[in-house]
Amino acid sequence: MPNVSLYYPNSKFGCWLGYKLDIFEYPFVSMSNFIYNNVRNIYLPELLSLNIRDYSLYPNGLDYTFDFVKGFNLILGGNGMGKTTFVSLIKYALIGNYKKQYEYSRTYKENKIEKRERNSDDFFRNRMDPTIATDGPPSVTLKFKVNGTHFTITRSLIDISIQTLFIDGVKIEGQEILESKYEAVKNSVKNEDGQAKLSMLLPFLYENSFQHAAGISFDDLIFFVNYILFFGEDHKTVLWEEDVQRQLFNTFFNSPELNTARQDAEREAKYFDSRSRHKSEDKRAIRKVLDRIEQKEQKGNSTPGDLIKLKEKIEYFTAKAKEVHEVRKRNSSKISILENDKNTYAQMLDELESTRNKLINTLSFSEYKHQHRLYDSFLKNIQTNHVCPLCNNQNEELYVRAVENQDRCWVCDSELINDSEMNADAKAELQRLNDEYTAQTRALTSAQNDIKVLEAENRSLDNQFKKLDVDKRQSLSEVRELEYENSKNENPTELQPFYDEIEKLTAEQDDFAEKRDERRNEANRIAQLIEDTVLANVQNFSNQFSLYAQKFLGVPCNLTYERLDDDVLKKFYPMINGTVRKTDLELSESQRFFIDHSFRMSILTHFYTTPTFYIVETPDSSLDLSYEKNAADVFSSFLEKPYSLILTSNLNNSSFVNYILSNENRDHEIVPLFEIAKKSVIQQSNDTLSQLYNKIKNG
């Protein structure tokens, strides 16, 4: 077997470790050859303390320090007191102002650059109160550790930049630079001198130090913080997001080199797709001008413009045919899943009918004494063969009547006379079996009907594909005729430069589209390899999920790892009480939030190495009274391993906070925003609010 690394000649990563392997020449190689023995050891930050200095949003806390505990960290305050700002300060201190890791982007000169998506630089400035006197400019300092390495980082809240950095107590000397300028410098690095300049900057030194300690890149940290470790007030769920799942599990279940190659391929695919679409837009702009000119000329002979229009028609037919093919492919995948479901339903029906018939036979000897002596034989014949026992003809209506109501005669519908009392448990079990049999029959019928609809749609798609193919062939024939006619024309039109430019743009568009597909296929093939490792961990991961989700919903919950509907690759779906929930809209608001919490906490539990944190804003906002204790129990279960669970809560009459704080087995600390933040006039004069705060604080 060859050396196992990856090589992309057009990639910014070059050739790792000095040797080359094109993994896709060896499709038989299993995933185990590309990952470490099991899953990567990933070390996420463990928060120690947060200091906020001279930030006038908190006028009574101009030098406020909060020490995080491994347990409940409750940020308590009224509306507008800065709960979201407080957790945003934690995020900002840790990862800067970034809300998305880098991707490739196109500039106006069509250069490829790396670009991270950033939040507004005005967020913290806009929340300051200019009427409050301070000793200096506001800043935030976060102390945390990663795999035993201690970090102390101070960032400005005026200028988005790192002011100081200490690692294991040693000050790191580096140049302070605005985050926005740092990103520009990174994108401009082209040579060794640029690398040397970059290596002197504080953000670069911080990111590289973190990566060395954590075993993941700083961009991976940006992803984890924004999509896993932080459940914001927008209550955005990630469980149903294919891109999030793909990034998440490709990072966890992967070697760094292989994961870097996948990320690079995905980013380049997006970049080439953007370039291809821009070329198409440029063509349309020129085409509009040409159409107006050609309409004025009104010549009878064909022009190069006619040839271009024909080629655009061919391009349309090709794209449409590809679209039809993709829809048919998705339909075929759905049919395959439905066929499996249908077989499962049929097998369950056989098992249910066998169990039900045994129970009926057991009960029939003592239950029914006054009917005809052959009644039981007739009934069994109906149930087994679906035929009338008198005329021997098929009769589904008789069969349904005979099995749905065992207490009434299948001939006259009279109530049967019982000489002995039927066993209550057996009767209830029989009713349950009948109900389940009916439900499974409906599910089987639904699956069969869905299959028929999809098969009919596929037949229609096949006809569309054939017509598109015929139209494309006809247009190709017309193109050849026009090309021959134009080749004989010795006097080129004055519009020829426009036609030449469209031809050039078409060639460039096709080239970028081809490169996009190549890179996308590479990314998909790497992700396909990773599926093997994910499958090996599905049960363990699902068990973690069940622990949390069932505590909240009170019904069986698990995760299934499948390829459904339009999925390119397999992904996790929640299965609630036996039903797969394909979208978050199939659950109520509070259900989908806590299902998403369960998913995120399962990730952190499954890959636990050292304590980290999980931030949830207003988790009780969607709960009714009956679910508040369940929600508190979910979070309490999560803390079986040491974590810093950071929750924000309004001052209200919800019992959720009381359930949290009443757990004597869990440490807790309160961030007293009610004391350090500025209150509105209404809040200052509201005695009930003060009493509620004091009750919670002293409870």
Side-chain angles (χ1 to χ4, degrees):
M1 181 178 168
N3 293 325
V4 283
S5 182
L6 287 172
Y7 180 73
Y8 294 106
N10 296 323
S11 132
K12 71 184 182 67
F13 300 101
C15 181
W16 293 297
L17 306 179
Y19 52 86
K20 170 182 176 181
L21 164 68
D22 186 354
I23 187 176
F24 305 117
E25 294 177 3
Y26 303 91
F28 56 87
V29 179
S30 70
M31 184 63 196
S32 60
N33 292 313
F34 298 97
I35 60 170
Y36 299 126
N37 292 333
N38 196 331
V39 293
R40 293 173 61 187
N41 284 331
I42 294 175
Y43 298 95
L44 296 172
E46 177 184 348
L47 304 183
L48 302 176
S49 69
L50 184 79
N51 174 262
I52 306 169
R53 184 182 293 272
D54 294 314
Y55 189 43
S56 55
L57 177 65
Y58 307 124
N60 299 316
L62 294 179
D63 188 6
Y64 176 74
T65 298
F66 180 76
D67 295 318
F68 296 96
V69 298
K70 295 182 183 68
F72 295 112
N73 299 267
L74 186 63
I75 303 170
L76 191 63
N79 293 332
M81 290 186 183
K83 297 184 295 298
T84 295
T85 303
F86 193 91
V87 294
S88 297
L89 285 166
I90 299 172
K91 285 178 59 180
Y92 168 62
L94 186 60
I95 64 171
N97 216 24
Y98 300 112
K99 63 178 179 180
K100 197 169 185 181
Q101 64 276 25
Y102 81 78
E103 293 182 338
Y104 288 158
S105 177
R106 169 185 179 273
T107 68
Y108 73 97
K109 293 182 179 180
E110 298 190 340
N111 293 321
K112 182 173 64 178
I113 63 171
E114 298 173 15
K115 183 180 179 181
R116 288 171 175 166
E117 192 173 341
R118 301 175 63 250
N119 294 302
S120 168
D121 288 346
D122 296 327
F123 176 77
F124 296 111
R125 287 199 295 260
N126 289 343
R127 301 230 63 196
M128 294 170 57
D129 186 347
T131 66
I132 304 297
T134 61
D135 294 333
S139 64
V140 58
T141 299
L142 180 68
K143 292 183 178 181
F144 65 95
K145 64 180 179 179
V146 180
N147 192 22
T149 300
H150 286 72
F151 291 79
T152 302
I153 185 168
T154 300
R155 294 183 187 265
S156 168
L157 297 179
I158 294 291
D159 300 321
I160 305 302
S161 63
I162 298 175
Q163 294 179 319
T164 60
L165 173 65
F166 290 80
I167 299 179
D168 287 332
V170 178
K171 184 175 183 180
I172 305 302
E173 298 297 337
Q175 180 183 342
E176 184 178 349
I177 184 173
L178 295 178
E179 189 176 88
S180 56
K181 290 187 177 180
Y182 169 64
E183 288 298 307
V185 170
K186 281 200 308 178
N187 293 328
S188 65
V189 169
K190 302 295 181 185
N191 50 42
E192 291 184 5
D193 290 339
Q195 287 284 355
K197 180 181 179 182
L198 184 65
S199 65
M200 298 295 293
L201 303 179
L202 268 179
F204 182 85
L205 295 169
Y206 171 56
E207 292 179 12
N208 278 271
S209 299
F210 173 86
Q211 182 169 330
H212 179 74
I216 58 174
S217 71
F218 194 76
D219 280 282
D220 287 335
L221 176 66
I222 292 172
F223 168 79
F224 289 133
V225 170
N226 284 308
Y227 291 99
I228 307 301
L229 297 171
F230 182 80
F231 189 90
E233 204 165 30
D234 59 356
H235 293 165
K236 181 176 176 57
T237 57
V238 300
L239 171 53
W240 291 271
E241 295 292 328
E242 182 174 341
D243 288 344
V244 172
Q245 281 206 34
R246 192 174 185 183
Q247 174 72 21
L248 173 68
F249 291 104
N250 285 345
T251 300
F252 274 124
F253 291 108
N254 212 344
S255 69
E257 293 83 7
L258 194 62
N259 186 52
T260 300
R262 177 196 60 80
Q263 290 175 327
D264 198 35
E266 286 186 342
R267 290 164 186 149
E268 287 193 339
K270 290 181 180 179
Y271 166 72
F272 288 130
D273 182 62
S274 173
R275 294 291 301 276
S276 177
R277 285 187 283 106
H278 278 292
K279 296 299 179 185
S280 178
E281 291 167 5
D282 292 344
K283 282 168 54 180
R284 278 197 292 270
I286 297 175
R287 182 71 261 167
K288 286 181 180 179
V289 176
L290 281 174
D291 285 343
R292 287 196 293 268
I293 296 174
E294 290 173 347
Q295 285 172 6
K296 290 180 179 179
E297 292 185 354
Q298 293 292 322
K299 291 182 179 179
N301 298 329
S302 62
T303 68
D306 297 326
L307 182 60
I308 290 172
K309 289 178 181 177
L310 270 174
K311 289 184 177 180
E312 288 175 347
K313 281 179 66 176
I314 292 171
E315 188 179 314
Y316 167 78
F317 292 144
T318 302
K320 197 67 179 175
K322 183 178 180 181
E323 181 182 317
V324 168
H325 174 73
E326 290 299 322
V327 174
R328 196 191 191 289
K329 184 179 176 182
R330 290 196 297 268
N331 284 350
S332 297
S333 176
K334 292 177 185 178
I335 289 172
S336 178
I337 294 170
L338 286 168
E339 288 286 359
N340 289 334
D341 291 345
K342 188 179 76 171
N343 293 336
T344 301
Y345 295 143
Q347 183 179 353
M348 292 177 68
L349 283 170
D350 289 342
E351 294 173 358
L352 284 169
E353 188 159 19
S354 175
T355 303
R356 188 176 61 181
N357 287 340
K358 288 178 182 178
L359 183 58
I360 290 171
N361 289 336
T362 301
L363 294 169
S364 62
F365 291 104
S366 61
E367 181 65 12
Y368 306 114
K369 299 297 183 183
H370 292 273
Q371 59 265 32
H372 191 278
R373 59 186 178 82
L374 296 178
Y375 185 91
D376 290 338
S377 299
F378 290 160
L379 181 61
K380 185 178 293 185
N381 189 26
I382 295 170
Q383 293 172 339
T384 304
N385 302 315
H386 297 224
V387 298
C388 174
L390 301 181
C391 67
N392 215 33
N393 285 324
Q394 190 87 14
N395 194 324
E396 291 298 326
E397 183 181 349
L398 179 63
Y399 165 75
V400 172
R401 193 162 65 245
V403 299
E404 283 190 346
N405 196 339
Q406 302 292 326
D407 293 335
R408 308 192 74 83
C409 175
W410 49 267
V411 177
C412 65
D413 200 36
S414 299
E415 185 175 359
L416 297 173
I417 302 173
N418 300 336
D419 279 346
S420 61
E421 290 187 4
M422 189 176 189
N423 182 284
D425 292 339
K427 185 174 182 180
E429 176 64 10
L430 182 59
Q431 183 60 50
R432 187 192 69 79
L433 289 171
N434 287 335
D435 292 343
E436 189 172 351
Y437 189 92
T438 301
Q440 294 296 335
T441 301
R442 288 172 181 162
L444 176 60
T445 302
S446 177
Q448 290 170 332
N449 291 337
D450 289 344
I451 289 172
K452 289 179 182 178
V453 170
L454 289 170
E455 287 177 339
E457 186 177 344
N458 274 358
R459 288 192 293 271
S460 174
L461 290 169
D462 289 340
N463 292 333
Q464 289 182 47
F465 190 88
K466 289 176 184 177
K467 185 178 185 308
L468 287 167
D469 188 56
V470 169
D471 292 341
K472 180 180 175 180
R473 290 175 184 274
Q474 177 64 33
S475 297
L476 285 169
S477 176
E478 294 175 16
V479 163
R480 286 192 290 270
E481 292 176 6
L482 277 178
E483 285 177 337
Y484 176 73
E485 180 182 328
N486 290 340
S487 68
K488 297 188 297 182
N489 186 2
E490 298 179 356
N491 300 313
T493 172
E494 293 178 355
L495 300 178
Q496 190 62 45
F498 290 96
Y499 301 136
D500 292 343
E501 181 64 18
I502 290 179
E503 290 285 353
K504 175 175 171 288
L505 290 169
T506 300
E508 291 175 345
Q509 178 187 355
D510 292 343
D511 181 55
F512 286 131
E514 183 178 353
K515 289 178 179 177
R516 173 202 62 204
D517 293 340
E518 287 176 358
R519 303 304 279 158
R520 188 175 287 165
N521 289 337
E522 287 181 5
N524 286 340
R525 292 183 71 173
I526 296 174
Q528 187 71 50
L529 289 173
I530 296 168
E531 277 192 9
D532 295 340
T533 308
V534 179
L535 283 169
N537 289 273
V538 165
Q539 189 57 53
N540 188 19
F541 189 68
S542 178
N543 290 342
Q544 296 287 351
F545 174 83
S546 300
L547 174 68
Y548 301 129
Q550 288 181 200
K551 277 187 178 295
F552 181 74
L553 294 180
V555 297
C557 303
N558 64 287
L559 289 171
T560 181
Y561 189 61
E562 299 181 27
R563 184 182 291 105
L564 298 178
D565 298 340
D566 298 338
D567 294 352
V568 176
L569 298 169
K570 289 184 178 179
K571 71 176 185 180
F572 283 102
Y573 290 93
M575 184 177 288
I576 312 300
N577 208 15
T579 302
V580 175
R581 307 306 173 109
K582 297 180 181 179
T583 70
D584 58 350
L585 298 178
E586 296 177 36
L587 294 165
S588 70
E589 185 180 44
S590 62
Q591 286 176 339
R592 64 173 173 264
F593 294 164
F594 274 85
I595 288 298
D596 204 63
H597 290 322
S598 300
F599 178 67
R600 298 182 194 216
M601 292 189 296
S602 300
I603 293 165
L604 297 176
T605 303
H606 184 70
F607 298 101
Y608 186 90
T609 50
T610 55
T612 186
F613 66 94
Y614 182 43
I615 298 174
V616 184
E617 289 204 74
T618 57
D620 54 337
S621 62
S622 65
L623 297 173
D624 60 41
L625 294 175
S626 61
Y627 279 94
E628 288 181 342
K629 187 177 187 308
N630 288 23
D633 288 343
V634 171
F635 289 131
S636 185
S637 296
F638 174 63
L639 293 174
E640 292 296 330
K641 291 181 182 291
Y643 290 101
S644 292
L645 181 62
I646 303 166
L647 309 175
T648 70
S649 181
N650 287 311
L651 288 167
N652 53 38
N653 290 319
S654 166
S655 299
F656 172 78
V657 171
N658 293 327
Y659 285 127
I660 289 286
L661 298 181
S662 65
N663 192 320
E664 297 178 356
N665 297 322
R666 303 280 176 257
D667 287 341
H668 69 263
E669 286 292 339
I670 295 178
V671 179
L673 294 186
F674 192 77
E675 298 177 21
I676 67 173
K678 184 178 180 179
K679 303 182 187 68
S680 68
V681 175
I682 294 175
Q683 290 167 334
Q684 286 177 335
S685 61
N686 192 312
D687 293 336
T688 303
L689 202 64
S690 299
Q691 292 169 5
L692 182 60
Y693 170 75
N694 290 325
K695 180 181 178 182
I696 293 173
K697 180 184 176 183
N698 300 323

